Amino acid sequence: MIKTVSTTPYSDQKPGTSGLRKKVPVFQQENYAENFIQSIFDSLEDFAGQTLVIGGDGRYYNREVIQIAIKMAAANGFGQVLVGRGGILSTPAASNVIRKHKAFGGIILSASHNPGGPTEDFGIKYNIGNGGPAPEKITDAIFARSKVIDTYKIADAADINIDIEGTHTIEGTKITVIDPVADYAELMEELFDFAAIRAMFAGGFRVVFDAMSAVTGPYAKEILENRLGAPKGSVLNFMPLPDFGGHHPDPNLVHARALYEAMMADDAPDFGAASDGDGDRNLIIGRGIFVTPSDSLAMLAANAHLAPGYSKGLSGIARSMPTSGAADRVAEKLGIGMYETPTGWKFFGNLLDADKVTICGEESAGTGSNHVREKDGLWAVLLWLNVLAVRKESVLDIVREHWAAYGRNYYSRHDYEEVDSAAANGLIADLRARLADLPGKTFGGLTVEKADDFAYHDPIDKSVSEHQGIRILFAGGSRIVFRLSGTGTSGATLRVYIERFEPDAARHDIETQTALADLIAIADEIADIKGRTGRDAPSVIT
Ligand code: VG1
Ligand code: CO
C-alpha cells in the first residue's frame, strides 16, 4: 500500500556546496528526511519507471534513511532501485553505477569528510543522470519545494534486507541489492595498467592506504590488496564504521597526522594515501614529501598520458577558483583549455559532459576525471601508482622535477571553524564593499593588482553563479582568497586560501608557512581576521 502522509515544511533544507548537511538529531526530527527526499522527487520530471541508485558512506543513520528512500522511491513510481549492499556506495562508485546502469539519478547519503555518530553529521545529496551532483538549478528547486511541501508518499512495506545481494519488489518497483565494489573495480581496471602496478608491488614497492574507517575500505582492500597484490595489511582502518572510529574522516595533515608522521620516517613506505568519509577525496604523501592537492592535480595532469585510460591525452583541465594555478601552467604547456570554476564538483559536470576537460581538481583534496562525475579518491591514488610504475622514480623526484620545470606554487589553506556567523558574514561583506579601493594599494611590499568577487559564467549552459569568493591578486602572481564554507553544520567556517608562485628552483625548499608568512600577515591585515573572529590562529591549516 502506498501512503500519502501529511507533513509540515522545514525552513532550513537548503543544499550547500554538496547536498544538505545537518547534525543527525536535525535529520531525526519528524519527517525531516522524508520531506527532503520528497522535495527532490517533486523537483524532477518524467522518472516514472526509471532507475534510481541509492547508497551512502555507512555513517550513523545511513541504514535508516536507506530504507526510507527505498520505500519512497517505490511509492513515487521509480521502476527500479539499485542499492549498495549494506547501504554502502562510495560517492564515486555511486556516480559510476548511475552512469553504467543508465539510471535517472541517485541519492547519496553522506556528509563526506564531516564526523559521524549520533550527535555528528549526516547528509543527503541528489545526483543526476550523468552521475554528477545536481546543478544549482535543481538544488534551488529542491529548496523551494521543501519550504512548501505538505505531503510525501511512502510504501507501507517491510524493510528490505540490504545485507544480502538479491532482488525484491515493493509496489511493483524492483529493488536490487548490488555489490558496491564490483562495477567500480572493473572501471579502474579499464583505466589503469594493473599489470604494471602489480609488478611494481611485486618488486617490493611499499604502499600504505588509510581508509579512515570510512567507505573506501572495501574498495581499497579489493583493488590494492586482492587485485594488485599489495601485501595484506597495506590498507589500514578498512572497516567502515558508523562513527569512523570517533575520528574526523578528512584526509588532511591534521586528521591523517599519523600517516603523515609515518611517511616522514627514514624507513617509510614508498607511497602513502588516504581517503575521506565518502571516498571522493585523496591524500597523497610520498616518502618524505606531502603533495598538496593543487600540486597533485597539476602533476597528474602532466603525467596522465602514461595511464592507458588517458593515453590519448587530455582535452582540457578544470580547477576550482581557490585551487592553485599550478595546473594552469600544465594546460598552457600542453596547449589545452583551462577552466576556473566555483568551489564544488557540481560545476565540473557540464565541462566534462561537453568534453571540454578530462581532468578536474580542487585544493580540498579532490581530483577526478571524465570516468565519473564526482571527484574520486582511489582513482587519484591509482593514477599516481600507475605514473610511479611507469616512471620508476620516487614521488619526491617527480615532485622536484615538476617544480623545476613549471615553478612551484606555495599554497596553504587556513580554516577558522565554527566562528560566529554574523562575524564571518560581516568580514566578507566588508571586504566586498572595499574591493574597488584595493587595487594599487600596497601591503607589506606587495601591491594589489586586482580584487573581485568571483562570479562564474558557465560556458555550456550560460548559467551565472555569483559571490563565489573574494579574490585579492597581487602583482607577481601571489593571491589571497576568502570564502565561507558551504558544508559546515555549526556556525560559519572562514576559509583563507594563500598562494605564492616561485619560479626559481633554488627557492623550492622553503617550509610552506614560512614561504607564505608575508601573505598570511597581509590576509589578517586586510580582513582583520583576528579582530573579527576573536581567534589568534586558524583551527586547521592544510
Ligand atoms: C568543501 C571544499 C570543496 C568540496 C566540498 C565537498 O566545501 O572546500 O572543495 O567540493 O567541501 O567535498 P566548502 O563549501 O566547505 O568549502 V566533500 O568530500 O565534503 O563532498
Ligand atoms: Co567527500
Side-chain angles (χ1 to χ4, degrees), residues 17 21 112-113 280-281 362 364 375 483 485-487 495:
T17 309
R21 292 186 192 176
S112 193
H113 58 289
D280 56 2
R281 296 189 180 203
E362 295 193 276
S364 55
K375 54 189 189 267
R483 66 177 278 280
S485 158
T487 58
R495 303 204 194 282

Side-chain angles (χ1 to χ4, degrees), residues 58-226:
R59 68 179 57 227
Y60 187 88
Y61 210 43
N62 195 57
R63 300 176 73 90
E64 288 83 349
V65 179
I66 293 265
Q67 297 290 349
I68 292 170
I70 291 173
K71 292 173 197 174
M72 288 185 67
N76 279 273
F78 279 95
Q80 183 178 211
V81 172
L82 300 176
V83 55
R85 190 182 59 236
I88 293 282
L89 277 176
S90 77
T91 291
S95 183
N96 179 47
V97 172
I98 293 170
R99 294 167 66 78
K100 183 166 174 180
H101 297 272
K102 306 210 167 5
F104 185 87
I107 290 181
I108 302 177
L109 307 177
S110 168
S112 193
H113 58 289
N114 299 13
T119 57
E120 297 295 352
D121 291 1
F122 190 76
I124 304 181
K125 183 167 76 157
Y126 180 69
N127 281 31
I128 60 175
N130 74 353
E136 282 187 325
K137 190 168 74 124
I138 296 181
T139 55
D140 288 348
I142 296 170
F143 180 45
R145 181 66 192 150
S146 74
K147 288 190 281 195
V148 295
I149 190 163
D150 57 2
T151 58
Y152 66 86
K153 280 197 234 164
I154 189 162
D156 192 8
D159 281 0
I160 292 283
N161 182 349
I162 55 171
D163 293 309
I164 301 174
E165 283 165 50
T167 301
H168 310 257
T169 306
I170 298 180
E171 297 297 339
T173 302
K174 192 170 146 195
I175 317 292
T176 308
V177 179
I178 60 168
D179 179 338
V181 177
D183 287 334
Y184 179 84
E186 192 180 294
L187 176 63
M188 294 301 117
E189 291 220 32
E190 285 164 20
L191 295 175
F192 301 116
D193 187 345
F194 271 38
I197 302 173
R198 207 178 292 122
M200 178 172 75
F201 287 166
F205 182 99
R206 285 192 300 146
V207 60
V208 55
F209 182 93
D210 188 349
M212 302 189 94
S213 306
V215 79
T216 333
Y219 298 85
K221 267 257 162 205
E222 171 61 19
I223 294 173
L224 295 174
E225 294 186 5
N226 296 347

